[in-house]
Structures are given as structure tokens and as C-alpha cells.
Amino acid sequence: MSPSQTIDVGRVIDSGRTNARQMTLLILCGLCLVLDGFDVQSIGYVAPALIHAWGVPKAAMGPVFGASLFGLMVGALGLSLLADRIGRRPVIIGATFAFGCLMLATAGATSIQTLLALRFVTGLALGCIMPNAMSLAGEFSAARFRVTSMMLVSCGFTFGAAAGGFVSAALIPAFGWPSVFIAGGILPLCLAIAMVFALPESIQFLVLKQRVTGRMREKVVGWLRDFDPSLPIDADTRFAVAEQAHGGVPVAALFSRGRAAFTVLLWIVNFMNLINLYFLSNWLPTLIHDAGYDTRTAVLVGTTLQVGGVIGTVLLGRMIEKLGFVRVLVCSFALACVSIALIGQTAHALWLLGAVVFVAGFCIVGGQPAINAFAGIGYPTDLRATGIGWSLGIGRIGSVVGPVVAGQLIAWNWSTPSLFFAAAVPALASAVLMVLLGRATPRAENAGSIREAMHASH
């Protein structure tokens, strides 16, 4: 290699060996999403105890659930744009510090109004965690296992939501509902400190933004040699990526170069799936409690949803590698439609209820990381955080609509079976939309990766 030769950093990563720095990044991003999932879901787990402690009606929690999810939406839309300009690392570290402090503040809330405000602001910070963690995971992984890495990291969110159920079931009876928020605040602060010292920035992002100079160049050289120790890099070596930077407004670029149909359909699928995910996550413990079960059992049934999601993420990821995104997700959402409708019919038998909730979690909660990974491979480096963030952000309109509408339907005295029959409709819509998404292959510069991911659907 001549001293002035250019190195394609993407090729180095794609063909490089698995290394300790890469695994550290994946672990840190995974842990960040574990705490993200714990904190997002925490309000659903504490709701029955909080309703009892404050003596408020169940319907009063609908706006609180909605405020939290509205904050997540705004954070995903706004801070994902920021990350594609200043970098993934500073945004994810700053957001982790912020939501840790805000969770501690939530433990001291004394009214619905205060809780509503704190959950909205916490949601702003939480909203940008998923897009940036998945972007970093994908950009530090070789092409041969990039989708798997992104889905496993994304699985941290579901694992955190499930672990939060077990933690809440243990903490609330012993220490009261504020203890859940105290635990959910201390842990992210510790993780943020660890990320300051150990989390690298995306190499592709730095090269694309022409920020590989001075001390940062030394870091990039070290990171690249982790993938290939034999790289003969000197002061004259140049770095490049096989992409072009996009000028103008990043959101507008999501609709250029043949991406429009892919983007719109992906947004709608996210919207439909997150209606169900957050309706089930937020209201399931309360509805099960109303069916005659104690608080601990209600929380554990809600946790079964998340456990199903963790197992679903792992198994769906393996299926997608063999069959493609579209075939797997069409079947998953169709099965979700049936299982959600059955939840309201099985409350009389705890074992049967648990089985149906598990299947719903497998398909709905487990399907969400697959949608996120699909977005991650669908956009180039300088649009990736924006693409994932806006897909999630638009989808989170559904996450706001689902719990709030459910709260209103509960206030109108809808029966539990009727609520779950209504919730089955978005799952059916997701299955149909995935068929259409399979035909909306972008004519973008990275369309090959999308066609490869959807190979089984054509």
C-alpha cells in the first residue's frame, strides 16, 4: 500500500475481526437500551400502586402515559437530527445523564400534574437513545452480522422492560412505588460515566463529516487497527467511505432517490405496531388487576409480555436471516392479531392468559426491533440516525394514541374483551402493510442491502 493510498473504512470494518472495543461498544449500547426500556416501562408497572396511593381514577393515568410517550416522540424526531450533525456519542451520553437525573426527580412527584410534566421531559431524553444506540451498533459491526447486532442491541430495550417488571414486583411491596424510579435513576448515571471513558464515535460518521484530524485521527487509526492490526497507516494515508454526504434538510433526503414509498410505509408500520406495544405495556397490568388478580400477579403478567418480546427478538432475528424481513414480519403481525384478540377472552384462566400474552409479546414487542433494524439498513450513514429516529418518532404518535385512547375507552366503560378486540385491528393492518413494504424497495445508493434483507419476499 502506497503512503498516500486511501482506506475505505467501511470495508475495513466489514472484513475485520471481532475485537474487544467493538464488543465493549455493543455491550454499552445494549445496557443503555436496557435502562431505556426499564425507564420507559416503569410508569406502567407503578401505575396500579400509584393509583391506590394517590386515590385517583384509572383514567387519570391516560394523560400521564401519553405525556411520556409524546416526549419520546419529540425526542426521537429532534435529537436524531442533532446526532446526524454532531455525532452519536455526545447525544447518547448527554441523554443518558439527563434521563437518570429526571428519573430521580420523578421519585419525588406528589401529584398527577407534576408526574405528567416530569414524564414528558424524561421522554425527550429517552427518545433519542434507540436511534443512536442502533446506529452505533450497526456502524461498528461487519456486514455479515450487522442486522443481528442491531436487533440484539435493540433487544436490550425489551429485556429492560421485562426486568423492570420483576424489579418492580419486588420493590413496590417492600419500599413503595418511588423506589422503582430511584433505581431507574441511579443506574443510568453510572452507565453514562462509563460511556464517557469507553464509548467511541462512529468511524464512518467522522470520515463522512471530515473530522478525522489531530487527536481524533489518532483515535480513528487505533479503532481501525482493532479491526485489522496489519493496516499500514501513516500521516499521508487518507480515509473514505463509499457514500456521499447529503446536503440540505436530512428529513427531506428520506424521500429522495427512490426512498419515499419505503419511508412512508415504514412510518405507518411503526405507527400501527407502537399503538399496540404501548397500549399493552401501559394498560395490561391495570386491566389484569381489575380482572381480580393482586398487584404482584398483574405486574408479572405484564412482565410476561416483555419476556415474550425478548425471546421473540432473538428468534425472529434468526428467522429473518434465513427468510427475510417481510415474510417473517407478515406472519408475526398476523399471529399478533389473533393473540391480542384472545387476551380479553382468557382472563378467567391465569395459565392460558399468560400463554396468550406471551405470544402477543413475542410478535408485537419482538417485532419492533426488527422494524428498527429494517430502518437501520435502509438509510446511509449520515441519514441513519435521522431515518431510525423519524421512523420511531412518527411511530410514537401511535404510542401516544394507543394508551390515551384506551384510557378514554375505559372511561366510557368499554369491556375488557372489547378493548382487546379493538387493539387487534392495528396488528392486522401491520401485516397487510408489510406486504406492501416488501414491494417498495428503494432505488437508493444502498438499495442492495435492502434487497438482500428482503430477498425472500420477492
Side-chain angles (χ1 to χ4, degrees):
M1 182 179 293
S2 64
S4 60
Q5 188 165 350
T6 298
I7 292 178
D8 184 331
V9 298
R11 289 186 178 180
V12 173
I13 294 172
D14 282 345
S15 60
R17 65 179 188 179
T18 301
N19 58 78
R21 193 186 305 276
Q22 179 189 53
M23 296 308 298
T24 298
L25 179 141
L26 294 176
I27 290 170
L28 288 173
C29 288
L31 288 174
C32 197
L33 285 175
V34 168
L35 296 177
D36 184 12
F38 179 98
D39 287 2
V40 168
Q41 184 56 30
S42 60
I43 190 64
Y45 290 133
V46 305
L50 192 148
I51 288 168
H52 175 74
W54 287 359
V56 297
K58 295 189 300 293
M61 292 303 297
V64 175
F65 295 153
S68 176
L69 299 172
F70 184 67
L72 283 166
M73 179 190 72
V74 176
L77 295 175
L79 294 179
S80 60
L81 293 172
L82 181 64
D84 276 335
R85 292 190 177 276
I86 70 171
R88 289 83 164 98
R89 183 179 184 275
V91 171
I92 198 171
I93 292 174
T96 304
F97 268 118
F99 83 74
C101 293
L102 288 162
M103 287 293 285
L104 291 176
T106 304
T110 57
S111 68
I112 288 290
Q113 291 76 19
T114 302
L115 186 64
L116 188 150
L118 284 168
R119 291 306 295 172
F120 170 74
V121 180
T122 304
L124 292 176
L126 291 169
C128 72
I129 299 294
M130 179 76 75
N132 286 285
M134 291 195 68
S135 293
L136 271 175
E139 289 160 6
F140 252 85
S141 299
R144 61 186 178 275
F145 58 89
R146 181 165 294 136
V147 170
T148 300
S149 295
M150 294 175 75
M151 286 193 66
L152 288 176
V153 166
S154 182
C155 184
F157 181 93
T158 309
F159 181 83
F166 294 112
V167 171
S168 298
L171 288 178
I172 293 172
F175 304 105
W177 65 265
S179 61
V180 175
F181 293 111
I182 292 173
I186 293 174
L187 293 175
L189 293 178
C190 296
L191 179 61
I193 293 171
M195 288 194 294
V196 168
F197 294 99
L199 186 72
E201 181 59 274
S202 163
I203 302 174
Q204 295 97 319
F205 175 84
L206 291 171
V207 173
L208 194 64
K209 297 295 185 179
Q210 300 181 355
R211 297 179 185 175
V212 187
T213 58
R215 187 176 178 184
M216 185 55 68
R217 179 184 174 87
E218 297 176 6
K219 291 183 178 181
V220 167
V221 170
W223 298 338
L224 288 173
R225 282 183 171 151
D226 287 338
F227 288 97
D228 184 357
S230 66
L231 281 177
I233 304 173
D234 60 23
D236 295 321
T237 302
R238 295 175 297 173
F239 302 109
V241 291
E243 300 175 12
Q244 293 182 348
H246 293 78
V249 181
V251 178
L254 301 180
F255 297 88
S256 66
R257 303 185 185 182
R259 300 188 190 98
F262 176 79
T263 295
V264 171
L265 287 170
L266 193 65
W267 286 4
I268 300 173
V269 169
N270 246 312
F271 175 84
M272 292 296 178
N273 197 58
L274 288 173
I275 284 178
N276 274 330
L277 196 158
Y278 282 94
F279 161 67
L280 293 171
S281 296
N282 282 292
W283 280 111
L284 191 58
T286 299
L287 293 172
I288 297 305
H289 184 269
D290 287 350
Y293 296 100
D294 60 32
T295 298
R296 182 175 181 276
T297 301
V299 169
L300 291 177
V301 171
T303 305
T304 301
L305 181 83
Q306 307 299 339
V307 172
V310 172
I311 297 173
T313 299
V314 175
L315 295 184
L316 288 174
R318 298 294 299 273
M319 295 177 193
I320 287 169
E321 289 177 347
K322 295 179 180 180
L323 302 174
F325 279 92
V326 175
R327 284 186 179 179
V328 172
L329 289 179
V330 167
C331 294
S332 180
F333 292 141
L335 181 58
C337 175
V338 176
S339 61
I340 292 171
L342 288 174
I343 292 175
Q345 309 296 318
T346 56
H348 60 282
L350 184 59
W351 68 271
L352 184 58
L353 173 64
V356 172
V357 169
F358 176 87
V359 173
F362 185 101
C363 298
I364 292 294
V365 183
Q368 188 60 41
I371 298 172
N372 297 339
F374 202 6
I377 68 165
Y379 300 105
T381 298
D382 66 338
L383 295 178
R384 187 163 292 122
T386 298
I388 299 174
W390 273 71
S391 177
L392 275 170
I394 297 299
R396 289 198 191 281
I397 297 173
S399 73
V400 175
V401 168
V404 172
V405 169
Q408 187 58 56
L409 295 179
I410 290 170
W412 289 344
N413 296 317
W414 274 44
S415 67
T416 297
S418 297
L419 286 171
F420 287 106
F421 275 128
V425 175
L428 178 61
S430 294
V432 174
L433 288 165
M434 281 304 305
V435 175
L436 299 177
L437 188 56
R439 301 175 181 178
T441 307
R443 296 184 304 277
E445 66 268 29
N446 59 328
S449 64
I450 301 174
R451 290 194 183 95
E452 181 181 349
M454 298 195 300
H455 65 87
S457 66
H458 292 282

